[in-house]
Amino acid sequence: MRSKTYTLFAPIDLRVALVADLHNYPQEKVVQAVRNMRPDCIVMAGDYISKTYLSFIREMTKIAPTFLSIGNHEQARRKKVHRAVKGTDAVLLDNAFVRFRGVYIGGLSTKYDLNWLEMFCALPDYKVLISHHPEYYPKFLKTRNIDLILAGHAHGGQIRLFGRGLFAPGQGLFPKYTSGVYDNKLIVSRGIANPVKIPRLFNEGEVVCVQLRKKEGRMGRQ
């Protein structure tokens, strides 16, 4: 598992750790990677369900304020996840938003609510949307008034050849949105692990750090 940093210029300074597709990966390694990032907040962009996911969430909240969205693996047990997360210090954003350090952070669930999304887009100031599904981006997110979208789900395309993924759920063969930054607006994590024993080839799992900075200029990568 690697740590990857992307820098975007924004009206605020904020360091965000993006964790996606945890599944059954050894949590201690992820906790240490996130801790080393020294984030201002942590975003968990879906598919974190495992036998011990609540202990992982509690470890995340010890590092920084933690915000969760609903991915496809949480969708089937949505009510149970709501009840469980209430017992932690994390904030579950199920087609909902909060304000944090002058930024609106919203979570668009697998079972999305477009009426809620319209309300979120109408908010003033900088808006960060957690959306587990990058395939939603071209369908109804790309042209909306959202400053930054954080996603996972694509598993980096599973097998990466010549810098491109081979297959992703929701996008099929040769998917477009699998890893990195798109349009200075969408960041897709390759995720940490897979839900089934399908090998990753040339496609290391990752925890992503998103560094928002006030300075003007072009986006950079580290």
Side-chain angles (χ1 to χ4, degrees):
M1 185 190 69
R2 68 177 189 173
S3 296
K4 183 71 175 179
T5 298
Y6 300 104
T7 301
L8 293 167
F9 292 96
I12 45 88
D13 289 318
L14 194 69
R15 193 170 178 86
V16 183
L18 168 59
V19 176
D21 304 284
L22 176 69
H23 299 297
N24 291 305
Y25 193 85
Q27 297 179 1
E28 297 80 7
K29 295 181 180 180
V30 183
V31 170
Q32 189 57 53
V34 172
R35 186 180 291 119
N36 290 343
M37 289 177 177
R38 300 181 182 274
D40 297 307
C41 67
I42 300 165
V43 161
M44 294 178 59
D47 285 8
Y48 41 80
I49 286 290
S50 69
K51 291 181 179 179
T52 57
Y53 77 100
L54 287 179
S55 66
F56 178 75
I57 290 172
R58 291 189 179 98
E59 288 300 315
M60 291 291 98
T61 62
K62 293 176 184 177
I63 299 171
T66 302
F67 305 95
L68 294 75
S69 69
I70 295 285
N72 53 291
H73 281 257
E74 290 78 38
Q75 184 63 45
R77 57 195 86 184
R78 196 171 180 177
K79 291 182 180 179
K80 185 177 180 179
V81 171
H82 269 273
R83 289 194 299 268
V85 173
K86 281 184 179 180
T88 73
D89 292 326
V91 178
L92 180 59
L93 299 173
D94 184 1
N95 296 318
F97 68 86
V98 294
R99 190 167 173 83
F100 175 75
R101 292 196 183 184
V103 173
Y104 288 105
I105 301 178
L108 183 70
S109 299
T110 288
K111 188 175 181 180
Y112 53 81
D113 181 340
L114 293 183
N115 290 327
W116 172 83
L117 183 63
E118 288 294 339
M119 180 180 65
F120 178 73
C121 293
L123 294 170
D125 301 327
Y126 197 86
K127 292 178 284 295
V128 177
L129 182 69
I130 315 166
S131 174
H132 179 64
H133 299 268
E135 68 269 23
Y136 291 173
Y137 180 68
K139 292 179 181 178
F140 52 79
L141 294 178
K142 185 175 182 177
T143 60
R144 278 188 159 89
N145 182 30
I146 305 168
D147 298 288
L148 177 62
I149 301 162
L150 303 176
H153 189 54
H155 302 151
Q158 204 64 56
I159 298 170
R160 295 190 68 80
L161 299 172
F162 307 105
R164 185 172 183 180
L166 181 63
F167 176 84
Q171 297 184 69
L173 289 171
F174 306 110
K176 182 175 182 179
Y177 305 102
T178 61
S179 175
V181 184
Y182 302 87
D183 303 325
N184 281 5
K185 183 173 183 175
L186 170 68
I187 294 180
V188 182
S189 169
R190 295 184 187 183
I192 296 167
N194 300 329
V196 293
K197 293 183 178 180
I198 300 175
R200 288 179 179 236
L201 295 178
F202 314 111
N203 177 26
E204 189 177 7
E206 65 183 10
V207 176
V208 172
C209 179
V210 182
Q211 177 66 66
L212 300 179
R213 290 181 177 169
K214 283 185 179 180
K215 296 179 183 178
E216 295 181 357
R218 295 179 62 188
M219 179 186 63
R221 304 185 188 187
Q222 298 178 7

